[in-house]
Amino acid sequence: MYFAALLARTEDGWEASDTELDDVETLSDLADLAREASPDEDTVLVLIEQEDAWFGVVRVDGEEDPRIYVSDAAAAARSSYGEILLTDELLGRDPGDDDLDALDLDGTEDGESDDDEDGAEGGDGAAGAAEAVPHGPVGDAEVLDDLGVSEKELRSMSGDAVGEIAEALGASDVLETVR
């Protein structure tokens, strides 16, 4: 089960809203959604959590590029919402690396096995793609430093990380209204 919320910093403090990510397909879509939550170009945090598996923080400050932190890239890679956050840049890959993995260069069609020893191993493409996503945290662990959550604190969070972040920001009451 997923939980996603937007926390927008305003003159009056933090405002929370829950958000549907069903129509969000890219990081750009997510950043646009965050920007819509703050017409004054204030800081907006998108907090995404999948039970105890992983959490992500996307910070959007006006028109600047989003800053991203993901607690466990491998777990997030198995999630449609996590895939939105795991950009090539975040994973340290050149854009388009996946294009070669997706091509079928072994002479079979549609990724069918050619029934030799390589086919029995499940194919190299899927294993190579899985290895490209590291286990553990990726991204900007200092994304919340100026808001009172240090890199060390962020990296140590688990369980209800979204709640812990909101509490550190002084926004737990407003977050609970949308949970």
Side-chain angles (χ1 to χ4, degrees), residues 64-76:
E64 293 181 28
D65 288 340
R67 295 170 58 193
I68 306 164
Y69 174 80
V70 176
S71 66
D72 186 337

Side-chain angles (χ1 to χ4, degrees), residues 95-179:
D97 276 355
D98 291 341
D99 294 341
L100 289 178
D101 291 337
L103 291 176
D104 184 22
L105 301 176
D106 66 358
T108 61
E109 292 186 45
D110 299 320
E112 296 172 1
S113 172
D114 56 4
D115 293 325
D116 67 8
E117 293 175 24
D118 290 335
E121 294 174 10
D124 293 330
E131 290 173 13
V133 178
H135 291 275
V138 295
D140 184 355
E142 298 175 352
V143 67
L144 301 174
D145 267 2
D146 65 325
L147 299 174
V149 181
S150 71
E151 174 181 354
K152 182 179 178 181
E153 290 172 309
L154 189 63
R155 289 183 185 271
S156 69
M157 290 181 180
S158 62
D160 182 19
V162 167
E164 289 180 50
I165 291 168
E167 186 173 324
L169 299 175
S172 56
D173 289 343
V174 294
L175 181 68
E176 287 304 315
T177 63
V178 297
R179 268 203 174 183

Side-chain angles (χ1 to χ4, degrees), residues 8-25:
R9 188 163 68 175
T10 68
E11 291 177 3
D12 300 325
W14 292 96
E15 292 182 7
S17 58
D18 61 343
T19 185
E20 272 299 317
L21 298 180
D22 292 342
D23 295 331
V24 174
E25 296 180 10

